[in-house]
Amino acid sequence: GTPVETRPDLGIGRGDVRVSGDAVEATVHSLGHAPTGAGYAVLEDARGRELARVAVPAMEAPLDLRPRTTTVSLPLGGRKAEGLYVRVGLEGDAEEVTRLNNRRAVR
């Protein structure tokens, strides 16, 4: 694959996923060595079934060590947030530095 040092990386961390009214808000970070292309955020149940999806815009790479983030909102649709997850990814399943930071439980 592509050398790791030239890959983009989307990530969500502790404290980046929160419930706001009837929606889940997620702060998505660009963490890699290259700009991200367009991406997506998905609200999933515990089995990985998709409940909602929104676009994540392309972001610059944090080459100057300043955070690059965007916040997206996923509708809960009247569901309880317990047991749900937010997962992010790049369109076309593009390579990232790691995918270990792409899924976080809704709290």
Side-chain angles (χ1 to χ4, degrees):
T2 309
V4 173
E5 63 273 9
T6 63
R7 293 182 191 175
D9 190 32
L10 289 181
I12 47 179
R14 191 175 321 141
D16 287 336
V17 177
R18 62 212 157 276
V19 176
S20 178
D22 192 36
V24 173
E25 291 183 349
T27 300
V28 182
H29 301 259
S30 172
L31 302 166
H33 307 284
T36 70
Y40 58 87
V42 176
L43 184 64
E44 298 178 329
D45 65 14
R47 296 182 189 170
R49 185 179 64 185
E50 185 175 315
L51 305 172
R53 177 181 286 249
V54 296
V56 173
M59 290 185 277
E60 296 177 3
L63 300 178
D64 59 1
L65 303 180
R66 293 181 185 219
R68 302 297 195 274
T69 64
T70 191
T71 301
V72 296
S73 181
L74 296 143
L76 278 169
R79 295 176 191 87
K80 294 190 184 258
E82 185 176 309
L84 300 181
Y85 294 84
V86 174
R87 181 176 51 85
V88 296
L90 295 171
E91 291 298 335
D93 217 18
E95 291 180 310
E96 296 185 53
V97 172
T98 182
R99 289 193 172 102
L100 295 175
N101 58 5
N102 285 15
R103 190 171 190 244
R104 184 66 60 179
V106 177
R107 303 242 181 243

